[in-house]
mmCIF file of all heavy atoms in Angstrom:
data_model
loop_
_atom_site.group_PDB
_atom_site.id
_atom_site.type_symbol
_atom_site.label_atom_id
_atom_site.label_comp_id
_atom_site.label_asym_id
_atom_site.label_seq_id
_atom_site.Cartn_x
_atom_site.Cartn_y
_atom_site.Cartn_z
ATOM 1 N N LYS B 256 -7.719 10.857 7.111
ATOM 2 C CA LYS B 256 -8.494 10.835 5.872
ATOM 3 C C LYS B 256 -8.433 12.187 5.181
ATOM 4 O O LYS B 256 -8.406 13.224 5.833
ATOM 5 C CB LYS B 256 -9.928 10.429 6.168
ATOM 6 C CG LYS B 256 -9.930 9.031 6.758
ATOM 7 C CD LYS B 256 -11.265 8.369 6.860
ATOM 8 C CE LYS B 256 -11.109 6.892 7.183
ATOM 9 N NZ LYS B 256 -10.603 6.596 8.530
ATOM 10 N N VAL B 257 -8.394 12.143 3.870
ATOM 11 C CA VAL B 257 -8.448 13.363 3.079
ATOM 12 C C VAL B 257 -9.882 13.490 2.587
ATOM 13 O O VAL B 257 -10.434 12.539 2.049
ATOM 14 C CB VAL B 257 -7.472 13.300 1.900
ATOM 15 C CG1 VAL B 257 -7.574 14.538 1.054
ATOM 16 C CG2 VAL B 257 -6.049 13.121 2.423
ATOM 17 N N VAL B 258 -10.488 14.625 2.843
ATOM 18 C CA VAL B 258 -11.908 14.769 2.524
ATOM 19 C C VAL B 258 -12.153 16.008 1.673
ATOM 20 O O VAL B 258 -11.424 16.991 1.760
ATOM 21 C CB VAL B 258 -12.760 14.859 3.821
ATOM 22 C CG1 VAL B 258 -12.687 13.558 4.611
ATOM 23 C CG2 VAL B 258 -12.334 16.033 4.684
ATOM 24 N N THR B 259 -13.170 15.945 0.847
ATOM 25 C CA THR B 259 -13.545 17.078 0.001
ATOM 26 C C THR B 259 -15.065 17.209 -0.026
ATOM 27 O O THR B 259 -15.687 17.051 -1.070
ATOM 28 C CB THR B 259 -13.015 16.891 -1.442
ATOM 29 O OG1 THR B 259 -13.312 15.550 -1.850
ATOM 30 C CG2 THR B 259 -11.535 17.114 -1.532
ATOM 31 N N PRO B 260 -15.662 17.498 1.123
ATOM 32 C CA PRO B 260 -17.124 17.638 1.135
ATOM 33 C C PRO B 260 -17.549 18.977 0.522
ATOM 34 O O PRO B 260 -16.706 19.843 0.260
ATOM 35 C CB PRO B 260 -17.455 17.603 2.629
ATOM 36 C CG PRO B 260 -16.247 18.194 3.274
ATOM 37 C CD PRO B 260 -15.072 17.758 2.439
ATOM 38 N N ASP B 261 -18.844 19.156 0.352
ATOM 39 C CA ASP B 261 -19.362 20.452 -0.106
ATOM 40 C C ASP B 261 -19.207 21.487 1.002
ATOM 41 O O ASP B 261 -18.992 22.661 0.732
ATOM 42 C CB ASP B 261 -20.846 20.336 -0.466
ATOM 43 C CG ASP B 261 -21.052 19.449 -1.685
ATOM 44 O OD1 ASP B 261 -20.064 19.203 -2.398
ATOM 45 O OD2 ASP B 261 -22.192 19.012 -1.916
ATOM 46 N N LEU B 262 -19.366 21.050 2.242
ATOM 47 C CA LEU B 262 -19.281 21.969 3.378
ATOM 48 C C LEU B 262 -18.494 21.321 4.510
ATOM 49 O O LEU B 262 -18.804 20.205 4.922
ATOM 50 C CB LEU B 262 -20.700 22.328 3.853
ATOM 51 C CG LEU B 262 -20.824 23.164 5.131
ATOM 52 C CD1 LEU B 262 -20.120 24.507 4.991
ATOM 53 C CD2 LEU B 262 -22.302 23.371 5.482
ATOM 54 N N TYR B 263 -17.471 22.045 4.978
ATOM 55 C CA TYR B 263 -16.638 21.557 6.082
ATOM 56 C C TYR B 263 -16.711 22.577 7.205
ATOM 57 O O TYR B 263 -16.377 23.745 7.009
ATOM 58 C CB TYR B 263 -15.195 21.396 5.602
ATOM 59 C CG TYR B 263 -14.273 20.724 6.605
ATOM 60 C CD1 TYR B 263 -14.099 19.341 6.603
ATOM 61 C CD2 TYR B 263 -13.567 21.467 7.547
ATOM 62 C CE1 TYR B 263 -13.262 18.712 7.511
ATOM 63 C CE2 TYR B 263 -12.722 20.852 8.467
ATOM 64 C CZ TYR B 263 -12.573 19.470 8.435
ATOM 65 O OH TYR B 263 -11.736 18.846 9.341
ATOM 66 N N ILE B 264 -17.195 22.166 8.356
ATOM 67 C CA ILE B 264 -17.325 23.079 9.492
ATOM 68 C C ILE B 264 -16.285 22.692 10.541
ATOM 69 O O ILE B 264 -16.396 21.643 11.178
ATOM 70 C CB ILE B 264 -18.754 23.044 10.082
ATOM 71 C CG1 ILE B 264 -19.782 23.330 8.968
ATOM 72 C CG2 ILE B 264 -18.892 24.054 11.227
ATOM 73 C CD1 ILE B 264 -21.234 23.256 9.422
ATOM 74 N N ALA B 265 -15.237 23.523 10.665
ATOM 75 C CA ALA B 265 -14.122 23.229 11.578
ATOM 76 C C ALA B 265 -14.387 23.928 12.907
ATOM 77 O O ALA B 265 -14.476 25.159 12.953
ATOM 78 C CB ALA B 265 -12.815 23.719 10.968
ATOM 79 N N CYS B 266 -14.506 23.152 13.982
ATOM 80 C CA CYS B 266 -14.811 23.720 15.287
ATOM 81 C C CYS B 266 -13.646 23.509 16.244
ATOM 82 O O CYS B 266 -13.275 22.365 16.517
ATOM 83 C CB CYS B 266 -16.056 23.043 15.868
ATOM 84 S SG CYS B 266 -17.441 22.946 14.722
ATOM 85 N N GLY B 267 -13.074 24.589 16.693
ATOM 86 C CA GLY B 267 -11.966 24.472 17.641
ATOM 87 C C GLY B 267 -10.739 23.819 17.040
ATOM 88 O O GLY B 267 -9.978 23.155 17.728
ATOM 89 N N ILE B 268 -10.569 23.999 15.733
ATOM 90 C CA ILE B 268 -9.396 23.451 15.031
ATOM 91 C C ILE B 268 -8.512 24.634 14.637
ATOM 92 O O ILE B 268 -8.983 25.562 13.978
ATOM 93 C CB ILE B 268 -9.824 22.672 13.768
ATOM 94 C CG1 ILE B 268 -10.600 21.413 14.173
ATOM 95 C CG2 ILE B 268 -8.615 22.321 12.914
ATOM 96 C CD1 ILE B 268 -11.120 20.613 12.989
ATOM 97 N N SER B 269 -7.232 24.594 15.039
ATOM 98 C CA SER B 269 -6.370 25.742 14.746
ATOM 99 C C SER B 269 -5.959 25.764 13.272
ATOM 100 O O SER B 269 -5.857 26.820 12.672
ATOM 101 C CB SER B 269 -5.144 25.725 15.644
ATOM 102 O OG SER B 269 -4.401 24.557 15.382
ATOM 103 N N GLY B 270 -5.726 24.567 12.693
ATOM 104 C CA GLY B 270 -5.386 24.514 11.275
ATOM 105 C C GLY B 270 -3.914 24.279 10.999
ATOM 106 O O GLY B 270 -3.285 25.012 10.242
ATOM 107 N N ALA B 271 -3.353 23.212 11.601
ATOM 108 C CA ALA B 271 -1.974 22.813 11.286
ATOM 109 C C ALA B 271 -1.906 22.448 9.807
ATOM 110 O O ALA B 271 -2.905 22.002 9.232
ATOM 111 C CB ALA B 271 -1.588 21.618 12.148
ATOM 112 N N ILE B 272 -0.721 22.624 9.218
ATOM 113 C CA ILE B 272 -0.555 22.376 7.784
ATOM 114 C C ILE B 272 -1.048 20.983 7.415
ATOM 115 O O ILE B 272 -1.715 20.788 6.409
ATOM 116 C CB ILE B 272 0.923 22.546 7.375
ATOM 117 C CG1 ILE B 272 1.294 24.029 7.435
ATOM 118 C CG2 ILE B 272 1.181 22.002 5.981
ATOM 119 C CD1 ILE B 272 2.747 24.317 7.160
ATOM 120 N N GLN B 273 -0.716 20.010 8.271
ATOM 121 C CA GLN B 273 -1.097 18.632 7.920
ATOM 122 C C GLN B 273 -2.613 18.430 7.978
ATOM 123 O O GLN B 273 -3.154 17.615 7.255
ATOM 124 C CB GLN B 273 -0.302 17.622 8.735
ATOM 125 C CG GLN B 273 -0.756 17.386 10.139
ATOM 126 C CD GLN B 273 -1.709 16.227 10.193
ATOM 127 O OE1 GLN B 273 -1.736 15.392 9.305
ATOM 128 N NE2 GLN B 273 -2.510 16.191 11.235
ATOM 129 N N HIS B 274 -3.315 19.210 8.789
ATOM 130 C CA HIS B 274 -4.781 19.124 8.800
ATOM 131 C C HIS B 274 -5.352 19.838 7.567
ATOM 132 O O HIS B 274 -6.238 19.313 6.894
ATOM 133 C CB HIS B 274 -5.372 19.728 10.073
ATOM 134 C CG HIS B 274 -6.869 19.604 10.143
ATOM 135 N ND1 HIS B 274 -7.485 18.416 10.460
ATOM 136 C CD2 HIS B 274 -7.860 20.494 9.877
ATOM 137 C CE1 HIS B 274 -8.807 18.591 10.381
ATOM 138 N NE2 HIS B 274 -9.055 19.831 10.048
ATOM 139 N N LEU B 275 -4.805 21.027 7.279
ATOM 140 C CA LEU B 275 -5.291 21.782 6.116
ATOM 141 C C LEU B 275 -5.162 20.958 4.842
ATOM 142 O O LEU B 275 -6.028 20.994 3.971
ATOM 143 C CB LEU B 275 -4.511 23.098 5.972
ATOM 144 C CG LEU B 275 -4.628 24.072 7.156
ATOM 145 C CD1 LEU B 275 -3.869 25.360 6.856
ATOM 146 C CD2 LEU B 275 -6.082 24.391 7.487
ATOM 147 N N ALA B 276 -4.071 20.169 4.751
ATOM 148 C CA ALA B 276 -3.875 19.340 3.557
ATOM 149 C C ALA B 276 -5.045 18.387 3.374
ATOM 150 O O ALA B 276 -5.456 18.112 2.257
ATOM 151 C CB ALA B 276 -2.573 18.553 3.684
ATOM 152 N N GLY B 277 -5.607 17.919 4.475
ATOM 153 C CA GLY B 277 -6.658 16.913 4.380
ATOM 154 C C GLY B 277 -8.045 17.458 4.115
ATOM 155 O O GLY B 277 -8.962 16.693 3.844
ATOM 156 N N MET B 278 -8.222 18.805 4.201
ATOM 157 C CA MET B 278 -9.586 19.325 4.052
ATOM 158 C C MET B 278 -9.703 20.607 3.231
ATOM 159 O O MET B 278 -10.808 21.024 2.926
ATOM 160 C CB MET B 278 -10.252 19.532 5.424
ATOM 161 C CG MET B 278 -9.474 20.279 6.508
ATOM 162 S SD MET B 278 -9.016 21.978 6.156
ATOM 163 C CE MET B 278 -10.590 22.789 6.402
ATOM 164 N N SER B 279 -8.571 21.232 2.872
ATOM 165 C CA SER B 279 -8.690 22.569 2.294
ATOM 166 C C SER B 279 -9.248 22.567 0.876
ATOM 167 O O SER B 279 -9.567 23.623 0.333
ATOM 168 C CB SER B 279 -7.360 23.315 2.362
ATOM 169 O OG SER B 279 -6.393 22.585 1.689
ATOM 170 N N ASN B 280 -9.390 21.381 0.254
ATOM 171 C CA ASN B 280 -10.048 21.340 -1.047
ATOM 172 C C ASN B 280 -11.560 21.105 -0.934
ATOM 173 O O ASN B 280 -12.225 20.826 -1.926
ATOM 174 C CB ASN B 280 -9.392 20.278 -1.933
ATOM 175 C CG ASN B 280 -7.963 20.662 -2.293
ATOM 176 O OD1 ASN B 280 -7.709 21.753 -2.799
ATOM 177 N ND2 ASN B 280 -7.016 19.789 -1.986
ATOM 178 N N SER B 281 -12.086 21.241 0.266
ATOM 179 C CA SER B 281 -13.541 21.210 0.447
ATOM 180 C C SER B 281 -14.136 22.420 -0.266
ATOM 181 O O SER B 281 -13.478 23.452 -0.378
ATOM 182 C CB SER B 281 -13.897 21.287 1.936
ATOM 183 O OG SER B 281 -13.288 20.238 2.648
ATOM 184 N N LYS B 282 -15.377 22.303 -0.710
ATOM 185 C CA LYS B 282 -15.933 23.400 -1.521
ATOM 186 C C LYS B 282 -16.144 24.650 -0.677
ATOM 187 O O LYS B 282 -15.761 25.744 -1.080
ATOM 188 C CB LYS B 282 -17.207 22.950 -2.217
ATOM 189 C CG LYS B 282 -16.887 21.965 -3.330
ATOM 190 C CD LYS B 282 -18.110 21.437 -4.068
ATOM 191 C CE LYS B 282 -17.727 20.256 -4.949
ATOM 192 N NZ LYS B 282 -17.980 18.945 -4.315
ATOM 193 N N VAL B 283 -16.781 24.508 0.462
ATOM 194 C CA VAL B 283 -17.001 25.665 1.346
ATOM 195 C C VAL B 283 -16.516 25.297 2.748
ATOM 196 O O VAL B 283 -16.841 24.225 3.256
ATOM 197 C CB VAL B 283 -18.498 26.058 1.393
ATOM 198 C CG1 VAL B 283 -18.718 27.207 2.374
ATOM 199 C CG2 VAL B 283 -18.997 26.438 0.002
ATOM 200 N N ILE B 284 -15.744 26.196 3.350
ATOM 201 C CA ILE B 284 -15.187 25.923 4.681
ATOM 202 C C ILE B 284 -15.670 26.986 5.662
ATOM 203 O O ILE B 284 -15.607 28.191 5.385
ATOM 204 C CB ILE B 284 -13.645 25.900 4.631
ATOM 205 C CG1 ILE B 284 -13.165 24.753 3.731
ATOM 206 C CG2 ILE B 284 -13.056 25.752 6.049
ATOM 207 C CD1 ILE B 284 -11.704 24.808 3.374
ATOM 208 N N VAL B 285 -16.176 26.515 6.788
ATOM 209 C CA VAL B 285 -16.566 27.402 7.874
ATOM 210 C C VAL B 285 -15.635 27.100 9.051
ATOM 211 O O VAL B 285 -15.407 25.942 9.377
ATOM 212 C CB VAL B 285 -18.036 27.139 8.298
ATOM 213 C CG1 VAL B 285 -18.388 27.942 9.558
ATOM 214 C CG2 VAL B 285 -18.993 27.476 7.159
ATOM 215 N N ALA B 286 -15.076 28.160 9.658
ATOM 216 C CA ALA B 286 -14.210 27.962 10.821
ATOM 217 C C ALA B 286 -14.805 28.653 12.026
ATOM 218 O O ALA B 286 -15.242 29.807 11.942
ATOM 219 C CB ALA B 286 -12.813 28.496 10.541
ATOM 220 N N ILE B 287 -14.845 27.924 13.130
ATOM 221 C CA ILE B 287 -15.298 28.486 14.404
ATOM 222 C C ILE B 287 -14.150 28.282 15.387
ATOM 223 O O ILE B 287 -13.760 27.137 15.660
ATOM 224 C CB ILE B 287 -16.579 27.773 14.900
ATOM 225 C CG1 ILE B 287 -17.701 27.930 13.865
ATOM 226 C CG2 ILE B 287 -17.003 28.316 16.274
ATOM 227 C CD1 ILE B 287 -18.886 27.005 14.077
ATOM 228 N N ASN B 288 -13.574 29.377 15.842
ATOM 229 C CA ASN B 288 -12.413 29.268 16.726
ATOM 230 C C ASN B 288 -12.289 30.520 17.583
ATOM 231 O O ASN B 288 -12.593 31.620 17.125
ATOM 232 C CB ASN B 288 -11.136 29.080 15.884
ATOM 233 C CG ASN B 288 -10.014 28.454 16.694
ATOM 234 O OD1 ASN B 288 -9.580 29.015 17.700
ATOM 235 N ND2 ASN B 288 -9.551 27.296 16.266
ATOM 236 N N LYS B 289 -11.824 30.314 18.817
ATOM 237 C CA LYS B 289 -11.676 31.443 19.742
ATOM 238 C C LYS B 289 -10.534 32.369 19.338
ATOM 239 O O LYS B 289 -10.572 33.559 19.596
ATOM 240 C CB LYS B 289 -11.385 30.897 21.158
ATOM 241 C CG LYS B 289 -12.639 30.641 21.961
ATOM 242 C CD LYS B 289 -12.358 30.635 23.441
ATOM 243 C CE LYS B 289 -11.600 29.387 23.855
ATOM 244 N NZ LYS B 289 -11.786 28.989 25.242
ATOM 245 N N ASP B 290 -9.511 31.783 18.692
ATOM 246 C CA ASP B 290 -8.304 32.546 18.371
ATOM 247 C C ASP B 290 -8.411 33.168 16.977
ATOM 248 O O ASP B 290 -8.378 32.457 15.974
ATOM 249 C CB ASP B 290 -7.100 31.591 18.434
ATOM 250 C CG ASP B 290 -5.817 32.275 18.016
ATOM 251 O OD1 ASP B 290 -5.817 33.518 17.836
ATOM 252 O OD2 ASP B 290 -4.811 31.566 17.857
#
Side-chain angles (χ1 to χ4, degrees):
Chain B
K256 298 192 168 69
V257 178
V258 295
T259 46
D261 293 344
L262 174 60
Y263 188 91
I264 305 177
C266 311
I268 293 177
S269 62
I272 289 175
Q273 79 93 21
H274 182 76
L275 299 183
M278 49 61 76
S279 58
N280 293 307
S281 303
K282 289 179 192 97
V283 177
I284 297 168
V285 173
I287 300 166
N288 201 300
K289 270 202 288 206
D290 176 9

